[in-house]
Amino acid sequence: MSIYNKNDGLKYVMEQRWEDKQNDQFPNSNEEYIEKFRQIEDYLNQKYHPDVNLGAAISGDGLLTDHGVAHIKMVMEKANSILGAKVDELKGYEIFLLLVAIHFHDLGNITGRQDHEKKILDVMNDMKDVLPLDIPEQEIVSSIATAHGGFVDKTSCDKDTLKPIQRETFCNGISVRSLLLASILRFADELSDDFSRSRSKVEIPDENKIYHEYSKSLEPLGFNGNTIVFIYRIPYSMVKVKLKKGDKEIYLYDEIMNRLSKCLRELEYCRKYADGFIGITTMSVTIKISDPNNPIKVCDSDSFRVSLSGYPDERTFKLENYIVDNDCLDNRKRLKYSDGEALKKAIEERS
């Protein structure tokens, strides 16, 4: 008997693959993977997700926008929207691992926001026997989830966290495209924001207000073919004030521009590793300013579209940024000779 329906998105697709019983969809074992997923989801939804924001607050991070059950559901929905018809090309086991990784990607916040993406294995270890994932599954889920943010390592400023992930690996006998799954999760997480993430009934600390105001200004995203639709509504009162962000102050409008720029960068970045599974190329943006006397009315607005198109800027394009060693993405190297003069000098020194 089916548990999920079409409104459940990826969970429904996963269940359909399980019920089809095709040999290459799930590991050949006695495990019931749909029940296994339900057990993980129910446990995390009851014991962990509701306490993530509280744990971050206790650790000194103030009041984050929602990182609980609703956020996890939103990331799953966005992943489904990103994939579209391409979901038919994913194995059931890949969907299982992606969904579990989505559940784990933000759990590190429960002990503080700093390096939260690197704490996933620690969270898994805390669960011990309660978590029905074997060691290979824990390892691959952690690698997929960890790449959603942060830096490659603590001593680096390199944000290319997708680079170290194996493009394809085997887990319990099934070929899994780890890099693809990580890129989908990362971009889905980037898109998982709107006014539903800020419904706090308590006073929001100054250091968190800009993030809450951003969320409150954004309507749920729309997907139209290769275009994501963003609609913002800035309260009139927010036009005239700056809010704290780190050691600076910023207008909400400028934060919106910053976040849109970041989203476009994330789109371009994740597409590089997604093997054609991310077909989105364009962002359609509308920004409305509410009337001071009637917030339902609009006193000003702007609309524009941004797209991954056009010729790359020759001033910033550097060939060495794209070098890989023997097509292995985690072994980037420098050019042996920076220019013709360097080559000439090296040859002359040998003579």
Side-chain angles (χ1 to χ4, degrees), residues 75-124:
V75 177
M76 291 180 180
E77 291 171 350
K78 295 299 185 291
N80 190 43
S81 296
I82 291 167
L83 286 164
K86 297 289 284 186
V87 72
D88 293 338
E89 299 179 32
L90 289 181
K91 300 182 182 73
Y93 194 44
E94 289 178 313
I95 298 173
F96 168 82
L97 293 169
L98 173 60
L99 290 172
V100 175
I102 290 172
H103 265 294
F104 275 94
H105 83 282
D106 265 344
L107 286 186
N109 283 297
I110 205 165
T111 57
R113 183 122 181 101
Q114 183 71 30
D115 294 327
H116 72 278
E117 67 282 342
K118 299 186 184 302
K119 303 174 185 176
I120 295 170
L121 284 177
D122 294 332
V123 175
M124 289 179 172

Side-chain angles (χ1 to χ4, degrees), residues 4 35 37-48 103:
Y4 303 113
E35 181 56 34
F37 175 77
R38 283 193 67 189
Q39 182 180 344
I40 294 169
E41 181 165 72
D42 289 347
Y43 183 77
L44 293 179
N45 283 348
Q46 294 172 25
K47 302 294 185 180
Y48 274 81
H103 265 294

Side-chain angles (χ1 to χ4, degrees), residues 51-64:
D51 293 331
V52 169
N53 276 47
L54 177 60
I58 292 172
S59 299
D61 292 313
L63 183 60
L64 303 180

Side-chain angles (χ1 to χ4, degrees), residues 190 193 211 214 254-263:
E190 178 66 26
D193 210 340
Y211 307 107
Y214 173 84
D254 294 329
E255 176 66 7
I256 290 172
M257 292 297 107
N258 290 342
R259 294 286 287 271
L260 287 170
S261 296
K262 181 176 182 292
C263 187

Side-chain angles (χ1 to χ4, degrees), residues 31-191:
E31 292 201 71
E32 295 285 337
Y33 277 91
I34 304 306
E35 181 56 34
K36 184 173 178 176
F37 175 77
R38 283 193 67 189
Q39 182 180 344
I40 294 169
E41 181 165 72
D42 289 347
Y43 183 77
L44 293 179
N45 283 348
Q46 294 172 25
K47 302 294 185 180
Y48 274 81
H49 293 316
D51 293 331
V52 169
N53 276 47
L54 177 60
I58 292 172
S59 299
D61 292 313
L63 183 60
L64 303 180
T65 55
D66 177 56
H67 283 71
V69 175
H71 175 60
I72 298 304
K73 181 180 179 182
M74 186 184 293
V75 177
M76 291 180 180
E77 291 171 350
K78 295 299 185 291
N80 190 43
S81 296
I82 291 167
L83 286 164
K86 297 289 284 186
V87 72
D88 293 338
E89 299 179 32
L90 289 181
K91 300 182 182 73
Y93 194 44
E94 289 178 313
I95 298 173
F96 168 82
L97 293 169
L98 173 60
L99 290 172
V100 175
I102 290 172
H103 265 294
F104 275 94
H105 83 282
D106 265 344
L107 286 186
N109 283 297
I110 205 165
T111 57
R113 183 122 181 101
Q114 183 71 30
D115 294 327
H116 72 278
E117 67 282 342
K118 299 186 184 302
K119 303 174 185 176
I120 295 170
L121 284 177
D122 294 332
V123 175
M124 289 179 172
N125 187 55
D126 289 341
M127 295 180 185
K128 293 185 169 60
D129 296 337
V130 177
L131 182 63
L133 294 176
D134 59 29
I135 297 300
E137 288 171 339
Q138 290 184 43
E139 185 177 31
I140 198 168
V141 164
S142 175
S143 69
I144 293 168
T146 297
H148 82 275
F151 299 92
V152 174
D153 56 61
K154 291 184 178 181
T155 62
S156 171
C157 294
D158 187 359
K159 292 185 177 182
D160 192 0
T161 57
L162 291 173
K163 176 182 64 178
I165 298 177
Q166 288 182 286
R167 184 173 295 276
E168 187 173 7
T169 187
F170 278 83
C171 186
N172 289 317
I174 298 292
S175 175
V176 175
R177 290 162 289 185
S178 309
L179 185 57
L180 163 62
L181 301 181
S183 67
I184 295 298
L185 189 159
R186 179 170 176 135
F187 191 52
D189 186 48
E190 178 66 26
L191 298 180

